[in-house]
Amino acid sequence: MKSIKIGLLGLGNVGYGTFSVLKRNQEEIKRRAGRGIEVVAVAVRDMARAEALVAGGCKVVNDPYLIVNDPEIDIVVELIGGYDLSKTLVMQAIANGKHVVTANKALLAVHGNEIFAAAQDKGVMVAFEAAVAGGIPIIKALREGLTANRIEWIAGIINGTTNFILSEMRDKGLDFATVLKQAQELGYAEADPTFDIEGVDAAHKATIMSAIAFGIPVQFDKAYVEGISNLNAVDIRYAEQLGYRIKLLGITKRATVNGVEGIELRVHPTLIPAKRLIANVEGAMNAVLVHGDAVGASLYSGRGAGAEPTASSVIADLVDITRLATADPEHRVPHLAFQPNAMTDIAILPMSEITTSYYLRMHVADQPGVLADLTRILAERGISIDAMLQKEPAEGETHTDIIMLTHQTQEKNVTAAIEKMEALNSVVGTVTKIRLENLS
Ligand code: HSE
C-alpha cells in the first residue's frame, strides 16, 4: 500500500526528533501501521539549517501554506506552537481535508472546541498525544484504556521545569530565584519561563485532560492557575518535617456542591504525602495519577518533554491516524473521548467552592492565648486541624512560626479564616496558604 505522506510545520527539537525517529524506526513503524509513514516536506524559517538536518530526506520550504495546501500531504504535523499562525494553519489543513497532529497544548486548551468541531465536520482527525506530558501516553490511557471508568479525579505533575525547580529547592535547600537561574543555565527553563513557572503550561494540559476525563468542552479560561514563583523555601522545609512534599499539581476532579455536580480545575503548589509514589517523581520528570471508579488509582510517569520522548507521542498519533484513516469517521475514537453529541455541560467550579485540605503558616507573637485565638477562628468556620507544628522562637526572638494542616474544607472557609487571622495583633504579616491533597 502507498505510504502515508506527512508535512511537518517546524523542525525544532520535536520536529527533528520526529523526523529522526520515523527514519530510524521506519521498518518497525511500517509493520505496526500497515503502511509506510513518510515525511515529504518540512516548513521552517531557517532553510539552510533544515536542509543540513534533513540531508535531502525531504523537501524544505519556508512557506507553511505550501504544506497545508499541498494535495499530496495526508497529515499535517503542527510543531510551531503559539496561538495565531498555528491556529490559522491547523484550520486551513482541516478545511483541506487533512488530518492534523499537534503538540500544541496552548492552542488546544484555548481554541480546541472550534478546532475539534471543524475536524468533526470535515471527517478528519486531530490528534494531540504529545500536547500533554510529552512522551507519556496519557491521552491514549484516558481516552481508550480507561474508557470503562467513571473518572473521579486526575492529579498530575505535568510541567518538568517546575518539578525540576521544586526538586532542587528541596534537595539543596535553595530559594526559588537561585534555582530558576540554574535551570535556565542548564537549558531546562526557557529564557522567558513565565508559562512554566506561573502554572500556565500545566493549566493548558490539565484543561485538556479535564475535557477528556469528564466529557466537557475545553475551558482554559475557567481554570485556576497559580505557579511556584512565590513559593518560599521555608515552606518546603516545614512540609518535609510534617511528612509532605510540595509539587505543582494540575488537578481536575468531580465535586458536588449543594447537591449540584461540578468540576474542579486547578493548578497550584500542593502538599502531598511524601510516601506516595507520585511525590517521589523528581527532576524534570512528569507523572499523572488517575482515579477511575473501576480501576482505582493508576499512575503514569515518564519524560514530559524533550525531542525524542515528545516525538514518540507524535509518531504514535501518526500510526493511529494511518490505521484509522480509512475507517468510517463515526466509528473512530472521538477527539475528546466522548461522542460530540454526548458532551455534558457540568460547570467548572469557582475556586471558592473547591474542597481540599490546607497548610497554613503564620508568624506570631509567642504569648499566651495566641494559639487559642487561631484555633477558635478555624473552629468557628468548621475547619478541623489535622496536624500542627510550632517552632521554638530563635534565641532572643519574641515571635515564632506556627504551621497547621487542616482537614478538608471549602476554600471560602479558609479564605475567611485567614482574613480574621491576619487581623489579629499577634499575627505578623500575611498567612501563607498552600493546598494539600492526600491523593488516597
Ligand atoms: N515546558 C514544558 C515543561 C514542556 O517544562 O514540562 C512542554 O510542555
Side-chain angles (χ1 to χ4, degrees), residues 65-148:
Y65 289 93
L66 292 177
I67 293 207
V68 297
N69 292 329
D70 182 345
E72 195 205 3
I73 289 174
D74 303 298
I75 309 177
V76 170
V77 179
E78 185 276 306
L79 300 170
I80 53 179
Y83 306 91
D84 299 327
L85 178 61
S86 58
K87 182 183 173 207
T88 311
L89 292 169
V90 163
M91 293 301 275
Q92 177 83 21
I94 293 170
N96 287 338
K98 298 185 191 311
H99 305 291
V100 172
V101 172
T102 179
N104 191 338
K105 55 234 113 196
L107 177 69
L108 294 180
V110 175
H111 298 297
N113 300 324
E114 185 184 343
I115 290 171
F116 295 130
Q120 194 69 29
D121 278 354
K122 267 296 197 181
V124 297
M125 288 174 265
V126 173
F128 50 93
E129 184 65 70
V132 181
I136 306 173
I138 187 63
I139 300 300
K140 190 86 169 172
L142 288 171
R143 203 162 56 174
E144 297 173 54
L146 299 175
T147 203

Side-chain angles (χ1 to χ4, degrees), residues 20 39 54 62 91 153 169 181 185 277 292 317 397:
S20 322
V39 177
V54 304
N62 71 354
M91 293 301 275
W153 54 261
M169 285 175 76
K181 197 153 164 285
E185 281 160 8
L277 267 182
D317 280 344
E397 288 282 332

Side-chain angles (χ1 to χ4, degrees), residues 26 77 148 211 222 231 279 286 292 408 410 427:
Q26 60 183 318
V77 179
K222 307 236 174 74
L231 198 64
N286 281 197
Q408 289 207 334
Q410 272 191 315
V427 172

Side-chain angles (χ1 to χ4, degrees), residues 157 170 239-247 270-282 289 299 386 405 436-440:
I157 298 171
R170 186 184 68 80
E240 201 161 23
Q241 288 169 25
L242 289 156
Y244 292 83
R245 290 207 180 153
I246 299 183
K247 296 289 185 187
T270 314
L271 273 79
I272 54 180
K275 63 185 179 208
R276 299 264 180 271
L277 267 182
I278 192 171
N280 295 281
V281 172
E282 298 285 27
L289 187 56
L299 179 68
D386 183 35
L405 304 185
L436 183 158
E437 295 280 348
N438 272 306
L439 304 179
S440 55

